[in-house]
Amino acid sequence: ALEEARKNYQIALSVNPRYAEALNNLAAVYHGEHNFKRAEQTYKKALKYAPTAAITYRNLGTSYFADGKNKQGTRAYEKALSLNPRVFQSGENQPIEETSTRSQRIAISYYLAKAYAMAGENEQALACLRKAMDDGFRDRRHLMEDKEFARLRTTPEFQQLVIDQHLD
């Protein structure tokens, strides 16, 4: 019901053009339609009115990943985590990742793992890596060379993950 949702968010924005939550949700509609450029623009507009909205940074990051803009996606995810360390946990608003392709889901999980690793959240980083691998990630070289995973690679849990996923 993307069209109906779009109409309702546009009505809300006609009443209050600075309604950040409606802008965030309208951007999610654009993302669902695979109009990532428009989604990114609308998320940025929402952030003008609510610059500390972790959910909007999370959604912006997801749109960046869907559009192949991995560096920008990583930065948006890192910002989301810095604003709310629980923003990616279940129960924190419905994620827009559901409309992503398999390769986009792999990228989202992998780069989210990087963001968690940089934040020192090893358990979350490993869970995201596991999810990326379950979806088909198999790039051992990146896994072993990406600087964000340097500390994580020294843990027994990481070593076990590599063995379990047959990447050793």
Side-chain angles (χ1 to χ4, degrees):
L2 293 176
E3 187 59 37
E4 183 178 338
R6 178 202 333 273
K7 287 178 186 176
N8 288 323
Y9 295 130
Q10 288 171 333
I11 290 169
L13 290 166
S14 71
V15 173
N16 179 2
R18 296 175 178 233
Y19 186 13
E21 291 85 1
L23 285 164
N24 177 61
N25 293 338
L26 180 60
V29 170
Y30 295 139
H31 179 97
E33 296 172 339
H34 302 282
N35 188 346
F36 305 123
K37 183 175 181 162
R38 192 148 186 209
E40 292 162 18
Q41 292 169 338
T42 307
Y43 286 129
K44 288 177 185 177
K45 188 174 180 181
L47 288 168
K48 278 192 214 176
Y49 304 120
T52 60
I55 189 69
T56 304
Y57 277 104
R58 181 187 78 181
N59 290 345
L60 174 61
T62 300
S63 278
Y64 278 140
F65 287 123
D67 204 16
K69 298 175 182 175
N70 295 341
K71 287 183 183 181
Q72 294 98 319
T74 299
R75 284 194 296 270
Y77 274 12
E78 288 170 349
K79 181 68 174 179
L81 278 172
S82 74
L83 292 168
N84 178 356
R86 298 176 342 144
V87 71
F88 291 96
Q89 295 175 4
S90 61
E92 290 294 319
N93 293 322
Q94 187 62 28
I96 61 171
E97 289 87 356
E98 295 169 352
T99 61
S100 301
T101 66
R102 182 176 154 270
S103 63
Q104 290 167 345
R105 286 191 312 273
I106 290 169
I108 289 167
S109 296
Y110 186 77
Y111 286 99
L112 182 55
K114 282 183 164 187
Y116 274 124
M118 291 300 294
E121 298 285 339
N122 290 350
E123 189 175 316
Q124 293 289 7
L126 288 166
C128 290
L129 280 175
R130 212 171 273 108
K131 186 173 185 312
M133 291 172 182
D134 289 347
D135 283 339
F137 177 83
R138 292 288 176 258
D139 192 338
R140 184 184 195 288
R141 183 182 62 80
H142 271 95
L143 187 61
M144 296 310 204
E145 292 178 4
D146 284 346
K147 67 179 189 270
E148 295 86 353
F149 296 128
R151 282 186 288 153
L152 189 62
R153 282 192 291 268
T154 65
T155 67
E157 295 84 1
F158 179 88
Q159 296 300 321
Q160 189 61 50
L161 176 66
V162 169
I163 291 168
D164 292 347
Q165 295 292 326
H166 307 289
L167 294 174
D168 50 342

